[in-house]
Amino acid sequence: MVSWLQTRVVGNTLLAWLLAALWLVLAMLLTVAAKHIIVKRLRAIATRTSTHWDDALVHAIAGTYALLVGAMALYPLVENLNLPPKGARWAAAIAAIGLFVQIGLWAARFLDFWIKSSRDRAMQHDPETATGLAAMSFLARLMLWSLVALLLLDNLGFNVTTLLAGLGVGGIAVGLALQNILGDLFSSLSIVLDKPFQIGHFVVIDGFSGTVDNIGLKTTRIRSISGEMLVFSNTDLTKARLRNYKFMQERRILFTIGVTYNTAADMLERVPGIVQSIIVSQEQARFERAHLKDFGDSSLNFEVVYWMKTSDYGAYMDTQQAINLGLMRAFGAMGVEFAFPTRTVQLQLSGPLPVALAGLAGNPQCAETK
């Protein structure tokens, strides 16, 4: 049995190969067992704290993969086994890939959990921060994996400086091909930094209105009043004329009242005071002015302006309805009538009109009559 184990295979005894295989299996089994124990204990500790850093750490450790640890375990085997140069290079490369990929996964899971938890908290109190965190998540992952890839390539013996120079030249061609996508990406960053609107704001864009639901890297989704989802390109949003109602503290209301021309002048003089008293009686309204503005085609027009002390549209409609009903009751009591489009045609004759019957030239039957 001992002599059989001493049989040499590819420059190493069979015993050495068996020990190497046992080492790989034990490394992966110990990884699974240790991860389960460590994650369980750390999660119990994290639930008793108010900070989210320990929760992010637990989430990162839970992303430990036995296969990647097994790949990393190949590195000590390279030192202890007599491998051909090409085989040693391949084993070392696999070990390096496993190491850097696992480190990248730990860091990525840590960042993702921390940014997601921060974004969820910000959505309740600070939508502006939530918008910035959404873009920061993508940039953080992009920078992380770019750094991991460069370190891995450098460790594998590639000339990173030459590679970066080549990527710079190729990046120009890629940028030209993807200019629309890159334009939306930079527009997204512009929205995040300039903050013309944030998640939860009510906006109106080119006749479309709704609440901002999500600001992505390429598109922004808006939930319309009728319930459907509107999707806008970020580039289009940065070019559009956008109205944001989130920061509107008061709402200015202007409307017109038309009364008939047969209304007496003293009645017309009382109308602004009546309108003012009705508006002042509304709790959320502030009266500004009411004037006989002009003489319309079929009505005498009063222009009324007041302010709503709240930006809530439902409150505005309730107040306007109360004002309209109050005006109808007050005008009815005064005997003042609301005007509607009418047209009066008057025909007045002082005498008979001469009528000439025209015919062909020289026709003796042509005559003039009255």
Side-chain angles (χ1 to χ4, degrees):
M1 182 66 177
V2 175
S3 60
W4 178 74
L5 292 175
Q6 295 300 321
T7 304
R8 303 189 68 84
V9 179
V10 194
N12 298 278
T13 63
L14 188 57
L15 178 61
W17 285 113
L18 291 176
L19 291 175
L22 180 61
W23 159 252
L24 293 177
V25 173
L26 286 176
M28 289 187 287
L29 291 177
L30 288 174
T31 298
V32 174
K35 182 181 75 171
H36 177 74
I37 296 173
I38 293 173
V39 169
K40 182 178 180 180
R41 293 187 177 182
L42 289 179
R43 183 170 288 131
I45 297 173
T47 54
R48 297 194 294 267
T49 63
S50 59
T51 180
H52 291 272
W53 291 96
D54 47 6
D55 297 307
L57 179 61
V58 173
H59 187 72
I61 296 175
T64 304
Y65 294 94
L67 187 61
L68 294 176
V69 174
M72 288 187 282
L74 290 175
Y75 187 78
L77 296 182
V78 176
E79 302 296 329
N80 296 322
L81 292 176
N82 184 18
L83 297 176
K86 187 175 181 179
R89 287 195 301 270
W90 274 103
I94 294 174
I97 292 173
L99 174 63
F100 283 99
V101 171
Q102 183 60 75
I103 292 175
L105 288 174
W106 283 333
R109 288 174 66 89
F110 183 89
L111 288 173
D112 285 345
F113 185 89
W114 179 76
I115 293 176
K116 182 179 181 300
S117 59
S118 300
R119 187 172 184 269
D120 292 340
R121 294 196 306 272
M123 282 292 295
Q124 303 175 2
H125 309 288
D126 189 5
E128 298 180 7
T129 304
T131 302
L133 288 173
M136 190 177 73
S137 175
F138 171 78
L139 294 177
R141 289 196 301 267
L142 180 62
M143 294 177 62
L144 170 65
W145 287 110
S146 298
L147 180 61
V148 169
L150 290 175
L151 292 175
L152 176 59
L153 291 174
D154 183 67
N155 188 270
L156 294 177
F158 290 92
N159 190 340
V160 180
T161 304
T162 305
L163 179 62
L164 290 176
L167 289 176
V169 176
I172 298 176
V174 174
L176 293 175
L178 302 177
Q179 55 182 337
N180 292 333
I181 297 176
L182 294 177
D184 289 329
L185 174 60
F186 285 109
S187 296
S188 173
L189 296 178
S190 175
I191 292 172
V192 170
L193 296 176
D194 193 46
K195 299 178 181 178
F197 58 87
Q198 286 85 40
I199 296 174
H201 288 193
F202 185 86
V203 297
V204 176
I205 307 164
D206 295 335
F208 298 96
S209 59
T211 303
V212 179
D213 188 73
N214 181 69
I215 301 176
L217 296 175
K218 189 179 188 303
T219 60
T220 294
R221 296 193 294 272
I222 296 176
R223 180 71 65 180
S224 72
I225 298 177
S226 55
E228 71 271 17
M229 185 70 73
L230 304 175
V231 181
F232 294 89
S233 167
N234 288 331
T235 302
D236 293 339
L237 288 181
T238 54
K239 296 178 180 179
R241 290 176 175 86
L242 182 144
R243 288 183 289 173
N244 191 338
Y245 287 88
K246 174 65 177 180
F247 301 107
M248 183 176 65
Q249 298 177 352
E250 293 184 327
R251 184 187 295 269
R252 184 177 185 269
I253 311 300
L254 184 149
F255 67 97
T256 301
I257 306 171
V259 298
T260 58
Y261 268 92
N262 60 3
T263 306
D266 57 341
M267 290 291 186
L268 295 175
E269 191 174 8
R270 293 173 55 189
V271 168
I274 294 173
V275 173
Q276 179 178 359
S277 63
I278 293 174
I279 294 177
V280 169
S281 65
Q282 302 302 314
E283 181 180 357
Q284 294 183 311
R286 185 176 76 251
F287 176 79
E288 181 174 312
R289 63 180 177 85
H291 296 94
L292 177 58
K293 179 184 178 183
D294 55 27
F295 298 88
D297 294 336
S298 57
S299 64
L300 300 171
N301 298 321
F302 286 86
E303 186 176 79
V304 181
V305 177
Y306 71 94
W307 290 83
M308 287 295 298
K309 300 177 184 179
T310 175
S311 61
D312 182 60
Y313 189 79
Y316 152 62
M317 291 302 297
D318 292 338
T319 301
Q320 186 64 53
Q321 176 179 264
I323 292 173
N324 293 339
L325 293 174
L327 290 173
M328 292 186 68
R329 295 189 181 99
F331 283 18
M334 293 171 54
V336 175
E337 297 180 353
F338 290 98
F340 54 88
T342 58
R343 176 166 295 183
T344 302
V345 180
Q346 294 185 352
L347 298 177
Q348 183 176 359
L349 298 177
S350 59
L353 295 175
V355 178
L357 298 177
L360 297 175
N363 189 344
Q365 296 181 354
C366 290
E368 183 175 331
T369 184
K370 292 186 179 180

